[in-house]
Amino acid sequence: MNYLTPRLSLCPALSILSVLVFGLLPARGDFLWFKSQEKAKVTAPSQLVGGQAPAVINKAAYDKLTSGNISIVVSLSRQRLLVKAGDETAIDSPVSSGKKARPTPNGTFPILQKDPDHHSNVYGNFVDSRGRVVRGGISALIDSAPSGSHFEGAPMTWFMRLTWEGVGMHVGILPGYAASHGCIRLPSQVAHDLYARVNVGTVVRVEN
């Protein structure tokens, strides 16, 4: 049985070596945990549109838009805005409408007001006297301003009001799904171009 002795004598050494080498490596579950702790990458707003097709502005049709031939439809299920000059599509754009807790209402709405530099009187940030954000993403209806701060409404550039309760169309971030507090967010260029062609009284149809 002496021929087994060298093989057996190596076992303790191998065990020690295994502990030294493999004991320093995390198990698969630990490895996944470490991976989950990596710092999240910040995605630029321009890259958040996800699977939505980008906006298309047909200049030839856009130039034909008048108060008499314009039609505007927002599809909530498709998260899409369609603007037509008669039978021609002038603008086909992604949107982000109200999330489940604050849905965008269905119906036909005349534009009640236009404001190129509108700010929300409900949603925004608490900022200090130097304009630095103390608390962001707050609701002035339920949150209290920390000492030394004041409320600053979120910008809603190129705002086109649809209801007096605060729903409108304006520039906003499009994450690829319904994410607003009820408004219809638009890409910046689309909001600008649409604002230039609508009047107070222009009808917008919002449907599923």
Side-chain angles (χ1 to χ4, degrees):
M1 301 296 289
N2 287 340
Y3 69 91
L4 293 176
T5 304
R7 191 177 300 174
L8 291 172
S9 65
L10 289 175
C11 289
L14 288 174
S15 298
I16 293 171
L17 183 62
S18 297
V19 170
L20 290 176
V21 176
F22 295 106
L24 296 176
L25 295 176
R28 185 173 183 275
D30 293 334
F31 178 78
L32 294 176
W33 182 86
F34 284 123
K35 290 290 287 182
S36 71
Q37 302 306 304
E38 291 181 358
K39 186 176 180 180
K41 294 181 180 180
V42 177
T43 303
S46 60
Q47 299 175 336
L48 290 175
V49 178
Q52 291 174 296
V56 176
I57 299 175
N58 178 353
K59 189 175 187 306
Y62 175 81
D63 289 342
K64 297 176 185 177
L65 287 171
T66 68
S67 59
N69 69 8
I70 189 171
S71 66
I72 305 170
V73 178
V74 176
S75 171
L76 300 179
S77 60
R78 294 180 57 237
Q79 291 291 283
R80 207 82 191 163
L81 167 84
L82 198 65
V83 181
K84 287 192 170 186
D87 293 330
E88 297 182 71
T89 299
I91 301 175
D92 183 353
S93 172
V95 304
S96 180
S97 61
K99 54 189 174 182
K100 188 174 181 180
R102 295 293 301 274
T104 302
N106 287 323
T108 301
F109 307 93
I111 291 175
L112 303 172
Q113 178 191 46
K114 294 174 62 181
D115 183 355
D117 191 28
H118 187 73
H119 285 74
S120 175
N121 58 5
V122 176
Y123 303 105
N125 304 315
F126 288 133
V127 300
D128 63 17
S129 58
R130 298 177 63 181
R132 296 174 299 190
V133 176
V134 177
R135 285 181 59 194
I138 60 88
S139 168
L141 298 178
I142 59 177
D143 295 301
S144 299
S147 178
S149 70
H150 63 276
F151 173 77
E152 188 174 274
M156 296 179 170
T157 310
W158 307 118
F159 184 73
M160 295 160 274
R161 183 183 294 278
L162 301 181
T163 76
W164 291 117
E165 290 71 39
V167 175
M169 301 184 293
H170 60 80
V171 176
I173 294 175
L174 281 69
Y177 51 86
S180 80
H181 291 99
C183 284
I184 298 164
R185 299 177 185 170
L186 302 169
S188 181
Q189 188 62 52
V190 170
H192 171 272
D193 290 352
L194 183 59
Y195 186 95
R197 281 292 186 266
V198 300
N199 300 314
V200 171
T202 298
V203 172
V204 178
R205 190 168 83 248
V206 181
E207 59 185 28
N208 286 326

